[in-house]
């Protein structure tokens, strides 16, 4: 065979291989989009037996769809790997392009597997505790979600709009339910005789919309809201602006009616992120202030409706949260609304008066206010922690004695709906654990085993024989279940992603809602835990952010 013919054959093989790779990439991009649509639009609405098995129903959908779609993606990914096995240059470049977040995710996957292999109770470690289902299977699905979304998902605005539309419907159902308007009849179950029986008040208080528990609902809400805010700020048309504003109004209305104090911390951090980047452009700041006014105005309107129609309000056995009542009814919040409105009108006036006053208005001149706001938040957190320590130990000076009357500053066993006790048990279990359990944990989602091993009698007495399956603090929970190494790798995923997205946000505005969602998840789940209604979404969001950082056209 002549050298010319050999060269032709070689070129044909290269072209054929490149075409095959391109075809596989398109298939995987399409499959990744279908999976994202399924999770964002299907999972929030899927139900089986209403609130009787809402948590299990959500997990069934998440598990089966994930195994099917990710299994499909794995098959084609294996083909790509096989095609590239002979390409040593490609393999070396692939290792070099792994980011800090990639390495943290890989480390977390390895430690999760090791933790499961050496777990004390394999059923919990593999499948997870009943009702939570966050064992090794779920952890590895989260890992796969991140890598496939980061490498193969091509961003589509229409998918985001669809997700926001579904979120708006979920929010609407929640608001109506809190005013005793149950249009989906979720608070009633069909009895054997064919009649519908209304749930007891204790269940009505704890379950809301198509998501189930209020804590699960809020964890979903704080992750989807940043993208609604992004859509509003970047709206190109009046219609888009109105629809995204309606979504934000429904979100705000639902958050101030579902009785979840933890959500307010997450919302504050979301606003802090958007405020920081809004200081770069006049129009962005105006849109941001409009969002703030929408939220506060919605809070006040909900408070007014609660006063006008008290008979329509769902009875809350535990009572309305003090923070919620303050936001909905306090004159201080009304004063804040007026002050922000004045600032908003002033900025609009200054922008319209450019040239007349001899200077051009530019909000970026006060960009330092972003640093001020962040440091003010940090200082406030430390002051609250200091106050909690002094209140709990009764060491306040006389002139600060009034702080003893503020319940959440007193960290005892009943603090935060008994999170005080749960956290104390978690710390005790970790301190008494052996070296192996300290390093790689007792096994994924095996918190209940650690309670039985180290705190069984005290937990049984406090919870009247019930089993404590979760610390209600994801980071503390991770420390117990996957040890120091697993907790560091897991937290590293969020920290590295947030840091890198923060640096990218000035170049690509889509990084802003991704960053806001990550910080919201970190803060909210300081008081909550992994679920199939929030953790898949945050790994998806981090994957989207990773795609941005890899300069991929999404």
């Amino acid at each position: 065979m002549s050298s010319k013919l050999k060269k032709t054959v070689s070129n044909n093989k290269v072209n054929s291989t490149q075409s095959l790779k391109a075809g596989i990439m398109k298939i995987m991009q399409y499959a990744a989009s279908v999976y994202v649509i399924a999770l964002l639009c299907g999972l929030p609405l899927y139900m089986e037996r209403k609130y009787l098995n809402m948590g299990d129903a959500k997990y069934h959908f998440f598990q089966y769809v994930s195994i099917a779609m990710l299994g499909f993606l794995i098959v084609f990914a294996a083909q790509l790997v096989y095609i590239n096995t002979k390409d040593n240059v490609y393999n070396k470049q692939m290792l070099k392009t792994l980011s800090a977040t990639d390495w943290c995710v890989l480390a977390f996957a390895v430690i999760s597997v090791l933790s499961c292999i050496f777990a004390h109770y394999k059923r919990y470690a593999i499948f997870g505790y009943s009702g939570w289902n966050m064992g090794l299977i779920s952890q590895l699905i989260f890992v796969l979600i991140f890598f496939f979304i980061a490498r193969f998902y091509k961003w589509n605005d229409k998918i985001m709009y669809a997700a926001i539309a579904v979120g708006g419907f979920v929010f609407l159902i929640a608001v109506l339910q809190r005013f005793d308007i149950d249009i989906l009849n979720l608070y009633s179950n069909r009895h054997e005789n064919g009649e519908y029986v209304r749930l007891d008040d204790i269940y009505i208080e704890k379950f809301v919309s198509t998501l189930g528990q209020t804590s699960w609902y809020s964890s979903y809400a704080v992750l989807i809201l940043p993208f609604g805010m992004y859509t509003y700020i970047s709206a190109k048309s009046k219609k888009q602006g109105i629809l995204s504003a309606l979504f934000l109004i429904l979100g705000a209305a639902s958050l101030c009616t579902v009785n979840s104090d933890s959500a307010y911390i997450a919302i504050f951090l979301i606003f802090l992120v958007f405020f920081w980047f809004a200081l770069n452009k006049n129009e962005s700041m105006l849109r941001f202030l409009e969002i703030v006014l929408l939220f506060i105005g919605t809070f006040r309107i909900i408070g007014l409706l609660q006063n006008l129609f008290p008979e329509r309000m769902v009875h809350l056995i535990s009572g309305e949260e003090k923070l919620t009542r303050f936001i909905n009814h306090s004159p201080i919040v009304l004063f804040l609304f007026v002050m922000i409105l004045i600032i908003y009108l002033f900025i609009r006036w200054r922008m319209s008066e450019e040239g007349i006053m001899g200077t051009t208005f530019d909000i970026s001149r006060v960009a330092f206010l972003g640093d001020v706001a962040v440091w003010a938040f940090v200082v406030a957190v430390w002051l609250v922690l200091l106050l909690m320590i002094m209140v709990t130990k009764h060491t306040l000076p006389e002139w600060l004695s009034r702080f003893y009357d503020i319940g959440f500053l007193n960290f005892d066993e009943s603090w935060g709906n008994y999170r005080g006790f749960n956290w104390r048990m978690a710390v005790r279990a970790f301190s008494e654990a052996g070296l192996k359990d300290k390093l790689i944990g007792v096994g994924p989602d095996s918190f209940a085993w650690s309670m039985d091993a180290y705190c069984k009698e005290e937990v049984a007495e406090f919870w009247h024989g019930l089993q404590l399956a979760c610390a209600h603090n994801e980071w503390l929970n991770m420390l117990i279940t996957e040890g120091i190494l697993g907790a560091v790798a897991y937290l590293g995923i969020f920290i590295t992603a947030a840091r890198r997205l923060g640096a990218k946000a000035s170049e690509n505005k889509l990084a802003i809602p991704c960053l806001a969602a990550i910080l919201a998840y970190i803060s909210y789940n300081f008081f909550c835990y992994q679920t199939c209604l929030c953790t898949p979404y945050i790994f998806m969001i981090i994957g989207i952010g990773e795609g941005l950082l890899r300069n991929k056209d999404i």
Side-chain angles (χ1 to χ4, degrees), residues 39-55:
L39 287 190
L40 289 176
C41 301
L43 181 58
L45 302 179
Y46 180 77
M47 293 180 286
E48 292 175 355
R49 298 170 59 203
K50 300 182 183 180
Y51 295 137
L52 292 180
N53 76 328
M54 187 67 81

Side-chain angles (χ1 to χ4, degrees), residues 1-10 13:
M1 184 181 291
S2 65
S3 60
K4 186 176 181 180
L5 183 59
K6 288 181 179 179
K7 185 176 181 180
T8 301
V9 172
S10 177
K13 286 183 178 180

Side-chain angles (χ1 to χ4, degrees), residues 6 89 139 181 183 209 299 325 341 481:
K6 288 181 179 179
V89 175
Q139 305 307 318
I181 304 173
I183 61 174
S209 193
F299 293 157
R325 181 159 189 81
L341 179 61
T481 59

